[in-house]
Amino acid sequence: MDPNIYALVLDTLNRATSQDTEILKPAEKKLEEWEIEPGFYSVLLNVLSNHSVDVNVRWLAVMCFKNGVDRYWRRNAPHAITDEEKMKLRNGLLTSSILSEPVAQIATQEAVLIAKIARFDCPTNWPNLVPDLIGALKAPQPLVQHRSLLIFHHVVKALASKRLIGDRRTFQELTNSVYGFILNLWHENTEIFLRHIQEGAATELITEHLEKALLCLRVLRKLTVFGFRRAHESQDAIAFLNVVFDRAKTSLECRKLLKGRGIYPLELCEKFIIHLTKVALGVLCFHPFSYVPLIRPSLEFALYYCFTEQGMSLIYERFTIQCLNIVKGILQCLEFKLPKGMDQPKEPLTLQAHQVKCEVLTESTVCHMCRHLVTRYFLLSSDDLALWDAEPESFATDEAGESWKYSLRPCTEAVFMELFHEYRSLLAPELVRLLVSLQETPVSPDDLPNILKKDAIYNAVGLAAFDLYDDVDFDEWFTNVLSRELKIKDNNYRIIRRRVCQLIGQWCGVRASQSLRPAMYEALLEPLTRPDEDPAVKLAAAEALRSTIDDFNFKVEQFAPYAHHALAALYELLVESEECDTKMHVLHVISYVMERCGALVSRGGGASALFAYLPQLWQHAASHHMLRAAALAAVVHLVKAVGECAESIRGWVLCVVGEATRAGEPAHVYLLEDALELWLAVLEAARAPDPALLDLAANLYPILEQSTEHLRIVVYIMQAYALLCPEEFFSCEGAKCMALLDDMLSDMRTEGVITVLKMAEICISVTYPERNPFLGVEVIWPILKRVIHCLLEGDDLPMVFSVQLCLLSRVILLSSELFYKAIQDAAKNLPEYESDPVKVLNKLLHVWTEKMNFVTQVERWKVVGLGLAALLTTQNATVLQRFPAILLNLTEVLNDVMKLEDGGTYVDGLVAPPGSRPASPLEGRGAAARWGAAEGAEGGEGAGAAAARSTPHEARRRRLAAAHPAHALDLRAVTHHQLQTLKNQVGAETFERLLQSSDKDTLQQLREYIPL
């Protein structure tokens, strides 16, 4: 290796560790440039292998190497590392300098580095990796043993993460070859460190063997869980699993000794114990039948340490969580439950597991567990109360997701619910007895221990609400007890007030009569509107209010008297809250109230106050993108509820939308989705276009260009612009967007294609005939030619075919000359038709008339029929050659749309009677209602339309719907007029010949509607 290159790289690495940015930045840039240079990683390997080099420099070298593996180790990666250099690197990574690395942090990063390469290359391109590591594990030097074991742990971890069948088979082969050796090594080091602890040996000796035992245990966990198809078929795995809980018991005793001495290995010992429980949880999750022999020892183990005074004196919180998760896993495991309606399960181990559970979890044991969970684990601790006093907002934040895996309170609650669900008939009376006992002896506000006990029991009743449906009369309980407890203002009683709010939220959807709803709203508004109420109680009331609204039995009329009070109180809570997470939580509740209550929100001053506060909140949340997203969502719901965007903040809203939808802005990734919804809401509420709103349209093209992820909402925005200001929009940004959509069509799925085609229909529909009637067609001209090509192929799905044909018919109804021009332009790129427009038109009409029955939606069916009728008088010989087929299809359409009135006359059933209000095809709530008037009446009136607030956008849609050909044109009158005009054009004799060329049944049916 060239010494000059080595020195240059070493010097650059050294400068890249500098604290001076003027030295640091150029060095970092140079290292980035060298990433793709051949031989660079070989130099890095030499640097990190040289123990005389500064630790910080070697640390940076290994990190650069690791990042390079991520980016350039794959063969198909741009600037991939060559196979020759890879071979040198693999050989150099297991040298004595690496295996005897003195710095622990660097050794760990080297192990991760080797594991990353192993995931790509082992065993195919690196067959000697595992044998070399096993050989190094037998070396006499303790440091080499430790580093080899560290590397082996990370390699096994990386290989275990591969999920393809071939990779799993390879990992199973690896497991079979090394399992026995690693198991013996674990036994050996575990025995030594346990003995050293009991004998009071030096900390260094204990630490050395404890670290090795922990690494072996981590390896064994991966091998046991992922290295066997059935773990119980391996004698070594059985031998390992059988000693897991015994080792845990011994280790807990040793932990007690270490804790008494207060020495360093205590933390390592705790990790060792936790990993023993992780082995059990892993096997339980991935090999439930292999776990059957462990059900009894694991349940007895958990019952002793989590539910007895003697056991609880030896444990610590993380261990308690693991034990309770094992209990939860056993209770939850489907393989351990007898199938309903079957006396004998198909799998014998299922019956065995069920029997063991019944033997261990006796009635008395289950009742004891339930009582212990409620009266011990559910009690708020002094730490909880201290946190409540110091940071009430943090205390009130609900832990969500899978927090039960890592946090004690969610864990105990999850175990309680699982236990209660499985043993409902046994535990329901037990919990009711506890609840009744509370009512017999009133609790004084000064009696904190009994207040905490009551809170714990209330918590249990709330968690088990669904299982206590028949056992608790919530109406009576709320009326006589809970509503009164909410009025007790003592500071200690804040604990009960908070819990009562939560109970209302939990029980409202389980068993609360409809007549009780107003009383519940009043009860929740009382703490929300009380100025001196505790923040945690207010937040619980806000969440409970959301639950009462988010209920199947919720009725807006019942909530109406409280709507503006609720919004005002929530606004005050939002302003009072200090933490961003709390503000975000309150904003979600506000958004929900506005979404469910609609126009009620506009009454009172709550809405205007919230409008005024939002810009201030936006500034406050400058570095909290999730809070800003919640603020945007609140503005969306507020604009929709009020029906307009307040002029006082309109400029701010448009500025925010512009920033959040501009691709180059940092917040773009976090805020784009909510900003697009807000953009659409503002457009729908706008009564007239303004320059700021039109300028915003420039952001649409980059969003579409970036990806199709937001295609649907972007098209909704384009439709809203098209209805608001068609000429201004399509003269500039709209035309650019439609051209881009045309380019994207070939790579779109069916749903995306239909979306774009419906947008094209909107383009044709909205331009003003008196000014520029053909602007819309000009905008979609490339799409129109593409549609003709697709129709000629005839391979599209019926839904796509239907929209394509309808689009073409809309063009014909607008201008047959434009239609024929489109045929001519399309023919130029169709050499298979000799670029002859006549042949293209002939084929198109053939496909049209043969497959027209693919159009199943009646409005489109009629529009396509109108398009055919319009072609009859264009004096085109090719069209007249298809006269019989055209007449047949027109007759079939007439059969579908004509209806017989009481007087015996036929009328077009889709034409709105004079003076009536046409049904908007876009009524209804949700995204599906936004497709635009081009859909005809596909959607009909949605269930929520009556409750939806009328907007200027809705009025525009109705006007467009009234002009839709399916509702504005009488098909019978149009067909009659076209046939009469054709007769005048070709003469009576030729017209009669055309009629005679048609089928007699067709003519007979047609004469029922039209005199021929």
Side-chain angles (χ1 to χ4, degrees):
M1 176 185 177
D2 190 336
N4 294 329
I5 295 177
Y6 177 84
L8 180 60
V9 172
L10 184 60
D11 178 62
T12 306
L13 287 167
N14 193 42
R15 285 187 286 112
T17 61
S18 172
Q19 299 299 313
D20 186 344
T21 54
E22 293 186 3
I23 299 174
L24 171 70
K25 292 298 181 183
E28 285 182 340
K29 187 176 180 182
K30 179 58 69 175
L31 289 173
E32 286 178 12
E33 293 173 2
W34 284 341
E35 280 183 352
I36 59 175
E37 291 295 327
F40 175 61
Y41 297 100
S42 299
V43 179
L44 290 179
L45 179 57
N46 287 329
V47 171
L48 65 92
S49 300
N50 188 347
H51 297 169
S52 64
V53 174
D54 181 74
V55 170
N56 292 325
V57 173
R58 294 201 298 123
W59 169 270
L60 182 57
V62 74
M63 297 306 291
C64 289
F65 196 163
K66 195 171 69 170
N67 293 336
V69 170
D70 286 334
R71 295 170 188 164
Y72 307 113
W73 200 271
R74 288 183 180 84
R75 285 190 174 184
N76 57 351
H79 311 291
I81 300 171
T82 63
D83 291 341
E84 294 77 15
E85 186 172 3
K86 285 181 185 177
M87 186 179 297
K88 292 177 184 176
L89 294 172
R90 286 192 295 261
N91 291 336
L93 281 168
L94 289 182
T95 57
S96 59
S97 59
I98 298 292
L99 295 177
S100 58
E101 172 59 55
V103 182
Q105 293 88 344
I106 294 178
T108 301
Q109 294 304 319
E110 288 173 343
V112 173
L113 165 64
I114 292 170
K116 285 179 176 289
I117 296 174
R119 199 175 191 279
F120 290 119
D121 290 358
C122 186
T124 307
N125 295 318
W126 204 355
N128 62 319
L129 172 62
V130 173
D132 287 352
L133 286 174
I134 296 296
L137 285 172
K138 300 174 183 177
Q141 303 93 332
L143 184 60
V144 174
Q145 288 180 7
H146 184 279
R147 298 304 186 236
S148 304
L149 194 53
L150 179 65
I151 293 170
F152 190 64
H153 155 60
H154 283 282
V155 168
V156 167
K157 183 179 177 181
L159 296 179
S161 67
K162 301 176 78 171
R163 290 290 176 265
L164 294 179
I165 293 175
D167 294 325
R168 292 173 68 178
R169 191 180 299 116
T170 301
F171 190 70
Q172 288 166 8
E173 292 170 0
L174 168 67
T175 300
N176 291 330
S177 65
V178 302
Y179 197 92
F181 173 76
I182 298 298
L183 181 59
N184 289 332
L185 195 61
W186 177 70
H187 277 307
E188 178 186 329
N189 283 283
T190 303
E191 290 287 352
I192 294 173
F193 95 75
L194 291 174
R195 187 172 67 251
H196 282 165
I197 292 174
Q198 291 162 355
E199 294 172 353
T203 301
E204 293 77 15
L205 275 174
I206 296 172
T207 303
E208 177 190 334
H209 293 285
L210 182 49
E211 285 181 346
K212 290 179 183 177
L214 180 56
L215 285 171
C216 287
L217 183 58
R218 284 173 162 165
V219 172
L220 284 173
R221 181 163 72 95
K222 292 294 183 183
L223 295 178
T224 306
V225 174
F226 300 108
F228 297 110
R229 291 185 62 192
R230 298 176 185 86
H232 60 279
E233 293 179 356
S234 166
Q235 293 301 316
D236 284 337
I238 292 172
F240 170 56
L241 294 174
N242 284 339
V243 300
V244 162
F245 291 106
D246 289 333
R247 290 297 192 194
K249 291 175 184 176
T250 310
S251 300
L252 282 166
E253 295 289 344
C254 290
R255 174 187 174 273
K256 186 177 180 181
L257 293 174
L258 290 174
K259 191 175 182 181
R261 297 176 201 161
I263 59 175
Y264 162 72
L266 175 65
E267 185 182 344
L268 272 179
C269 187
E270 290 182 350
K271 284 185 179 180
F272 183 81
I273 297 167
I274 293 300
H275 271 82
L276 286 168
T277 60
K278 284 185 175 182
V279 171
L281 281 168
V283 175
L284 175 58
C285 179
F286 290 95
H287 303 280
F289 289 125
S290 299
Y291 196 83
V292 171
L294 299 177
I295 293 176
R296 183 186 298 277
S298 59
L299 284 176
E300 291 174 348
F301 181 85
L303 287 171
Y304 176 75
Y305 285 107
C306 298
F307 296 94
T308 68
E309 295 298 330
Q310 305 95 312
M312 291 177 70
S313 66
L314 295 170
I315 61 176
Y316 51 102
E317 184 173 305
R318 186 77 185 96
F319 174 76
T320 305
I321 294 169
Q322 290 294 103
C323 288
L324 291 175
N325 282 336
I326 290 174
V327 174
K328 177 180 177 291
I330 292 171
L331 291 172
Q332 203 173 37
C333 185
L334 294 176
E335 286 81 0
F336 299 165
K337 295 181 180 180
L338 293 179
K340 291 182 179 179
M342 292 178 63
D343 296 329
Q344 192 72 24
K346 295 180 180 180
E347 175 56 58
L349 287 172
T350 297
L351 181 60
Q352 183 183 337
H354 177 72
Q355 290 171 343
V356 172
K357 281 169 59 181
C358 292
E359 291 169 7
V360 179
L361 299 177
T362 61
E363 289 188 9
S364 60
T365 301
V366 169
C367 289
H368 170 72
M369 291 172 68
C370 177
R371 283 194 302 272
H372 199 82
L373 284 166
V374 174
T375 59
R376 289 291 295 268
Y377 287 109
F378 281 13
L379 291 176
L380 292 175
S381 66
S382 56
D383 289 341
D384 292 328
L385 295 176
L387 176 63
W388 190 337
D389 287 330
E391 301 176 42
E393 293 180 27
S394 297
F395 174 80
T397 303
D398 289 331
E399 298 191 48
E402 295 189 334
S403 58
W404 55 268
K405 289 183 178 180
Y406 315 105
S407 185
L408 183 59
R409 188 167 303 282
C411 173
T412 54
E413 292 176 351
V415 172
F416 170 80
M417 286 190 286
E418 200 63 46
L419 190 70
F420 206 95
H421 185 68
E422 184 149 342
Y423 298 96
R424 198 209 75 80
S425 59
L426 181 63
L427 296 180
E430 184 76 19
L431 190 54
V432 170
R433 277 195 294 272
L434 286 172
L435 184 60
V436 170
S437 69
L438 293 176
Q439 318 308 329
E440 295 171 351
T441 309
V443 179
S444 167
D446 298 324
D447 188 356
L448 183 58
N450 276 321
I451 286 177
L452 293 175
K453 180 182 177 183
K454 174 181 273 198
D455 174 72
I457 295 171
Y458 277 10
N459 184 20
V461 174
L463 292 172
F466 284 98
D467 290 307
L468 291 173
Y469 179 87
D470 296 321
D471 301 278
V472 175
D473 184 346
F474 183 76
D475 285 16
E476 188 271 336
W477 186 28
F478 172 81
T479 305
N480 298 329
V481 180
L482 299 179
S483 59
R484 295 176 182 176
E485 289 179 329
L486 270 176
K487 299 180 188 298
I488 302 175
K489 299 181 180 178
D490 186 88
N491 184 56
N492 282 343
Y493 242 78
R494 64 183 173 160
I495 298 170
I496 302 302
R497 293 198 300 272
R498 171 176 172 268
R499 190 64 69 187
V500 169
C501 291
Q502 291 177 341
L503 280 168
I504 293 172
Q506 290 164 323
W507 275 87
C508 66
V510 178
R511 187 178 177 180
S513 63
Q514 198 70 44
S515 60
L516 194 67
R517 297 291 168 139
M520 290 166 62
Y521 300 142
E522 288 178 9
L524 292 172
L525 283 173
E526 185 171 347
L528 268 175
T529 54
R530 193 182 296 152
D532 58 344
E533 184 57 270
D534 185 274
V537 179
K538 285 190 173 185
L539 289 168
E543 179 57 27
L545 185 66
R546 188 201 63 79
S547 297
T548 60
I549 295 173
D550 183 18
D551 183 60
F552 182 77
N553 294 318
F554 173 74
K555 291 184 178 178
V556 176
E557 313 85 66
Q558 281 187 313
F559 188 70
Y562 312 99
H564 67 281
H565 297 297
L567 191 62
L570 289 167
Y571 165 71
E572 291 297 330
L573 180 58
L574 178 66
V575 175
E576 291 169 8
S577 301
E578 296 178 357
E579 297 185 8
C580 285
D581 286 344
T582 310
K583 287 182 180 290
M584 187 167 66
H585 180 77
V586 177
L587 273 173
H588 284 313
V589 179
I590 290 173
S591 295
Y592 209 88
V593 172
M594 290 188 293
E595 183 180 14
R596 294 302 302 267
C597 299
L600 291 175
V601 172
S602 61
R603 301 172 192 169
S608 57
L610 185 59
F611 263 136
Y613 174 67
L614 285 167
Q616 179 185 336
L617 176 63
W618 186 263
Q619 290 301 118
H620 173 73
S623 59
H624 198 295
H625 296 305
M626 297 306 293
L627 177 55
R628 282 192 160 188
L632 288 180
V635 181
V636 171
H637 291 298
L638 194 55
V639 169
K640 288 181 178 179
V642 177
E644 61 182 9
C645 182
E647 286 300 321
S648 59
I649 68 161
R650 183 181 174 83
W652 170 78
V653 167
L654 294 180
C655 180
V656 164
V657 171
E659 179 184 336
T661 57
R662 201 172 297 123
E665 295 293 333
H668 168 83
V669 177
Y670 306 97
L671 304 178
L672 179 59
E673 191 170 341
D674 292 293
L676 289 172
E677 286 285 352
L678 178 56
W679 189 351
L680 180 61
V682 172
L683 277 169
E684 290 180 346
R687 301 189 181 280
D690 58 66
L693 202 55
L694 285 169
D695 291 344
L696 207 57
N699 289 3
L700 288 171
Y701 187 91
I703 296 171
L704 278 175
E705 192 176 34
Q706 194 173 31
S707 75
T708 58
E709 182 182 356
H710 303 287
L711 173 68
R712 183 177 286 250
I713 183 72
V714 169
V715 170
Y716 294 157
I717 291 170
M718 291 174 64
Q719 290 177 359
Y721 270 116
L723 290 172
L724 179 65
C725 47
E727 290 194 293
E728 295 90 336
F729 180 61
F730 287 123
S731 296
C732 187
E733 300 301 333
K736 288 169 59 179
C737 289
M738 291 307 298
L740 179 58
L741 288 173
D742 172 62
D743 290 338
M744 296 163 65
L745 268 175
S746 58
D747 297 323
M748 282 185 184
R749 296 179 181 177
T750 301
E751 184 182 2
V753 171
I754 293 172
T755 300
V756 174
L757 292 178
K758 287 180 177 179
M759 183 63 222
E761 283 190 77
I762 291 282
C763 295
I764 297 175
S765 308
V766 296
T767 45
Y768 299 118
E770 62 273 15
R771 292 195 218 161
N772 190 350
F774 305 135
L775 174 60
V777 182
E778 293 171 8
V779 168
I780 67 158
W781 196 255
I783 293 177
L784 198 60
K785 292 192 292 183
R786 185 186 294 272
V787 164
I788 293 171
H789 290 175
C790 292
L791 286 171
L792 293 175
E793 294 172 4
D795 294 331
D796 283 311
L797 295 172
M799 185 58 186
V800 178
F801 179 83
S802 171
V803 183
Q804 290 171 337
L805 213 52
C806 192
L807 177 62
L808 214 56
S809 300
R810 296 292 294 268
V811 174
I812 294 170
L813 292 173
L814 185 64
S815 168
S816 58
E817 288 82 4
L818 283 176
F819 167 72
Y820 286 124
K821 186 175 186 301
I823 294 290
Q824 291 175 346
D825 282 5
K828 294 174 183 176
N829 298 319
L830 292 170
E832 60 269 34
Y833 294 94
E834 299 176 4
S835 300
D836 186 350
V838 175
K839 292 182 179 179
V840 170
L841 178 62
N842 185 55
K843 176 63 176 179
L844 179 64
L845 290 174
H846 171 74
V847 172
W848 188 331
T849 53
E850 288 295 315
K851 297 186 177 182
M852 185 170 155
N853 57 358
F854 283 2
V855 183
T856 55
Q857 200 275 323
V858 66
E859 281 78 12
R860 294 196 179 283
W861 177 237
K862 179 179 173 180
V863 170
V864 173
L866 287 168
L868 278 180
L871 284 177
L872 287 174
T873 58
T874 56
Q875 301 185 37
N876 188 292
T878 307
V879 172
L880 294 183
Q881 288 173 9
R882 295 282 173 183
F883 182 82
I886 292 173
L887 210 59
L888 173 62
N889 279 286
L890 278 172
T891 304
E892 289 179 349
V893 177
L894 283 166
N895 285 336
D896 281 349
V897 302
M898 301 302 291
K899 68 176 183 179
L900 187 64
E901 292 202 319
D902 295 338
T905 59
Y906 282 100
V907 296
D908 189 323
L910 294 180
V911 175
S916 68
R917 175 175 176 264
S920 168
L922 305 168
E923 284 187 340
R925 297 177 64 168
R930 296 180 180 144
W931 277 118
E935 283 198 67
E938 286 182 22
E941 292 219 5
R949 185 178 182 87
S950 181
T951 64
H953 182 69
E954 173 66 20
R956 292 189 285 270
R957 291 191 298 187
R958 287 193 176 281
R959 285 197 297 271
L960 194 61
H964 192 279
H967 303 290
L969 299 177
D970 186 320
L971 179 63
R972 182 178 64 169
V974 169
T975 305
H976 187 202
H977 174 268
Q978 289 297 95
L979 289 175
Q980 284 299 117
T981 304
L982 177 63
K983 183 176 181 180
N984 295 334
Q985 287 176 345
V986 301
E989 185 178 344
T990 304
F991 182 72
E992 187 62 30
R993 275 202 309 273
L994 288 172
L995 289 179
Q996 294 305 317
S997 65
S998 301
D999 183 78
K1000 292 182 179 180
D1001 291 339
T1002 300
L1003 294 175
Q1004 183 178 345
Q1005 289 181 42
L1006 188 61
R1007 285 190 175 100
E1008 292 182 18
Y1009 310 115
I1010 297 170
L1012 295 175

